[in-house]
Amino acid sequence: MNITREDIDALNAVVKVDIAKEDYSDKVEKILTDYRKSANIPGFRKGHVPMGMVKKQYGQAVLVDEVNKLLQDALGKYLVEEKLDVLGNPLPKAQDDLDWNADAFTFEFELGLAPEFDVELKGKKAITHYKIVADDKMVDNQIKHIQKQYGKIVSQNEITENSEVTGKFTNEEAGIDNVATFELNKIKGETNLKKFVGVKVGDIITVKTKNLFNDAHDLMTFLKVSHDDAQHLDVEVNFEVSEINERELVDLDQELFDKLFEKDVVKSVTELKAKIKEDTEKQFVQQGDQKLLNDVTEYLIDSTKFDLPAEFLQKWMQTAGEEPMTEEQAKEEYEKSEKSMRYQLIEGKLITEHKLQVQFEELRAFAMQMIKGQMAQFGQMNPSEKELEDIAARILSNQDEVKRLNEQLMSQKLLNLYKAEANLKTKEISYDDFVKEFYS
């Protein structure tokens, strides 16, 4: 067997594989001999079928199968030994005149080669790393929410602007029939508010769903409609009041502080505000980090210039999926996925250059830390090492879970790399401004 390569350009090559008779003849002969021993052909005793008849019936199929196995094995070894970084898979060139009665065969494969490029993490322009802060308004609202949550419920005769109302929303035609409880401060606009204020238990009011709540997502919760329906819903609904309450705010005293945290951790309103601010901002770190990951990814894609073997990749896409694609479909798919392919190559280079590959022990420790955090949320603060190890072992026996955890850990490693090596500037921003600016 002989394998040679012709480089068409820096991104495309053709590999030629020459297979001689001695490469396959012994294997083919052995398989046909085994067939002869077990073949059941009418008119012949088992094991006494003439070899010529066996070859005539099975010879070419066995030959094709063995040659294909040789090809795949040889090509795979060649790519490894030559350290060729290929994109997609080798594509066999069409051979309409292939003669399987010949002794020797030649096959050609097209290769798409990964480009050579450098990645520069420190760009001239600094990338903003947003630190989301809990401002005074957010902290005060959180405290008010806590006071209501731990406060005393007092029944009322009629609805006021401070009421918590329970009732049923109905609209037979729209299929709405749901009991909901909400505070009146969720209602949007003076016009809607006036329809509720002064209403008593047993009364029915009619309101329009459009712009009924300050947060449009509340329609999904309180009317039990889908996300898509909530976006476009504009009907009148009846609301029959069944209960009216007001929550008396609990005092901000040591008894409350000890309920919220461990005894004497917080001893004053000032300390309470500081603690709430600290805990809230910890929850925002992930969102700021995710924004940084997205922005660095965009920067790397835009700033790292290299060509791809586009024609080869489009041709490969035509046969790579479960369903074959037309030339036009493959071109469209390539245009949609080119950006992600570029980032995969950039990410792969960063992982190799900075030795970020995930080791099993790292993955195991990461899984145990994640489990410990989840158990803490349910009040299990001090699980034993054996408990954590046993749960981690069960999780890591599931390949889908291993893949998910591996992706999370790799994302964390890349984030740490970007924080250490990229040109970053930190900017404080309130949560409301962050959401308004990037997710509106």
Side-chain angles (χ1 to χ4, degrees):
M1 187 184 299
N2 186 43
I3 302 181
T4 56
R5 183 176 89 244
E6 179 190 355
D7 290 331
I8 309 302
D9 54 39
L11 298 173
N12 295 275
V14 173
V15 168
K16 186 165 78 168
V17 183
D18 295 316
I19 295 180
K21 185 175 183 179
E22 56 265 25
D23 294 323
Y24 61 82
S25 57
D26 287 349
K27 288 182 180 177
V28 169
E29 196 68 30
K30 183 180 183 308
I31 291 170
L32 290 175
T33 300
D34 290 342
Y35 275 13
R36 185 184 178 216
K37 290 175 184 175
S38 58
N40 283 313
I41 295 178
F44 297 94
R45 282 185 299 136
K46 189 175 181 180
H48 290 77
V49 180
M51 182 56 93
M53 185 172 287
V54 172
K55 285 183 177 178
K56 185 177 181 182
Q57 189 161 347
Y58 302 109
Q60 185 165 309
V62 171
L63 172 66
V64 170
D65 189 46
E66 285 305 307
V67 168
N68 277 327
K69 285 179 186 174
L70 273 173
L71 263 180
Q72 297 304 318
D73 187 47
L75 197 56
K77 284 181 181 175
Y78 177 80
L79 296 179
V80 172
E81 288 167 2
E82 294 293 311
K83 297 178 181 175
L84 289 177
D85 192 1
V86 298
L87 302 179
N89 291 315
L91 284 178
K93 295 184 81 170
Q95 289 179 276
D96 296 330
D97 57 347
L98 183 63
D99 180 10
W100 286 104
N101 292 314
D103 288 338
F105 308 100
T106 295
F107 301 91
E108 290 185 333
F109 294 85
E110 296 177 61
L111 301 182
L113 305 176
E116 294 286 335
F117 59 90
D118 294 316
V119 182
E120 181 54 66
L121 276 173
K122 280 195 189 300
K124 291 179 182 177
K125 187 179 177 184
I127 298 169
T128 303
H129 183 199
Y130 291 95
K131 182 186 177 186
I132 306 171
V133 296
D135 56 16
D136 292 342
K137 180 185 172 186
M138 174 173 276
V139 172
D140 289 342
N141 285 340
Q142 187 76 348
I143 289 174
K144 185 65 69 68
H145 175 74
I146 290 169
Q147 285 183 283
K148 284 184 177 180
Q149 184 182 353
Y150 286 87
K152 190 165 71 173
I153 297 175
V154 180
S155 180
Q156 293 181 296
N157 293 321
E158 62 180 47
I159 298 175
T160 69
E161 291 188 10
N162 297 318
S163 295
E164 180 181 276
V165 185
T166 299
K168 181 186 277 191
F169 286 104
T170 55
N171 178 307
E172 192 174 342
E173 193 175 331
I176 296 167
D177 185 359
N178 190 60
V179 174
T181 299
F182 54 90
E183 294 178 4
L184 223 64
N185 59 17
K186 290 187 174 290
I187 298 296
K188 184 175 183 178
E190 285 295 323
T191 304
N192 285 327
L193 203 57
K194 283 177 182 176
K195 291 185 178 180
F196 283 87
V197 173
V199 170
K200 298 179 180 179
V201 171
D203 288 350
I204 298 174
I205 59 173
T206 301
V207 290
K208 286 189 174 179
T209 56
K210 189 174 182 181
N211 295 323
L212 178 57
F213 296 105
N214 290 312
D215 184 347
H217 288 91
D218 283 341
L219 278 178
M220 296 165 56
T221 305
F222 300 141
L223 275 67
K224 278 287 183 287
V225 293
S226 70
H227 182 274
D228 290 342
D229 287 343
Q231 286 182 310
H232 310 292
L233 195 64
D234 186 11
V235 297
E236 286 190 337
V237 290
N238 291 327
F239 181 73
E240 183 176 358
V241 180
S242 58
E243 192 175 337
I244 306 168
N245 295 306
E246 185 172 335
R247 287 184 180 263
E248 285 186 358
L249 302 185
V250 70
D251 291 335
L252 296 173
D253 55 19
Q254 194 61 47
E255 185 182 350
L256 176 65
F257 302 155
D258 290 345
K259 279 181 183 176
L260 296 172
F261 310 100
E262 290 181 22
K263 185 172 173 56
D264 293 336
V265 169
V266 169
K267 295 182 179 180
S268 67
V269 173
T270 302
E271 288 182 11
L272 175 66
K273 288 184 176 183
K275 181 68 174 161
I276 288 173
K277 180 178 173 65
E278 179 190 350
D279 290 349
T280 304
E281 288 177 355
K282 279 180 185 174
Q283 296 172 30
F284 292 153
V285 168
Q286 188 177 355
Q287 286 163 283
D289 284 349
Q290 187 59 55
K291 180 74 173 72
L292 176 63
L293 267 176
N294 294 345
D295 290 346
V296 175
T297 298
E298 287 298 323
Y299 155 74
L300 289 172
I301 292 169
D302 292 342
S303 65
T304 310
K305 305 297 182 186
F306 55 82
D307 292 325
L308 288 171
E311 190 177 328
F312 168 84
L313 288 170
Q314 288 173 44
K315 195 186 293 186
W316 169 69
M317 283 178 170
Q318 286 182 252
T319 56
E322 291 181 11
E323 295 290 329
M325 292 185 188
T326 65
E327 193 174 326
E328 183 134 347
Q329 286 172 326
K331 184 179 179 182
E332 188 180 331
E333 183 61 30
Y334 173 79
E335 287 169 357
K336 283 194 287 187
S337 56
E338 183 186 359
K339 206 170 181 179
S340 67
M341 280 192 282
R342 287 181 175 280
Y343 182 66
Q344 283 173 12
L345 288 169
I346 294 167
E347 185 182 276
K349 192 170 184 69
L350 287 172
I351 290 168
T352 301
E353 286 184 350
H354 295 273
K355 297 180 173 59
L356 301 180
Q357 293 87 347
V358 172
Q359 306 301 324
F360 180 76
E361 278 307 311
E362 289 181 297
L363 194 64
R364 183 169 165 272
F366 182 72
M368 287 171 67
Q369 194 60 38
M370 180 198 71
I371 294 160
K372 193 173 182 179
Q374 290 175 345
M375 291 175 80
Q377 291 177 8
F378 294 96
Q380 293 176 265
M381 305 306 293
N382 295 302
S384 69
E385 194 74 8
K386 187 173 187 315
E387 276 184 285
L388 295 173
E389 287 175 355
D390 289 347
I391 298 170
R394 286 200 297 274
I395 290 173
L396 295 176
S397 67
N398 182 316
Q399 288 305 307
D400 289 337
E401 284 297 309
V402 169
K403 183 182 176 185
R404 183 179 67 82
L405 288 171
N406 192 81
E407 287 171 355
Q408 287 180 3
L409 183 51
M410 181 53 69
S411 183
Q412 188 61 53
K413 285 189 164 202
L414 287 166
L415 179 66
N416 292 339
L417 174 69
Y418 299 157
K419 286 180 178 179
E421 300 290 338
N423 182 10
L424 305 180
K425 63 178 180 183
T426 302
K427 179 182 177 181
E428 290 194 351
I429 187 171
S430 73
Y431 180 74
D432 285 345
D433 287 343
F434 182 80
V435 171
K436 203 179 296 178
E437 189 167 347
F438 302 112
Y439 298 104
S440 294

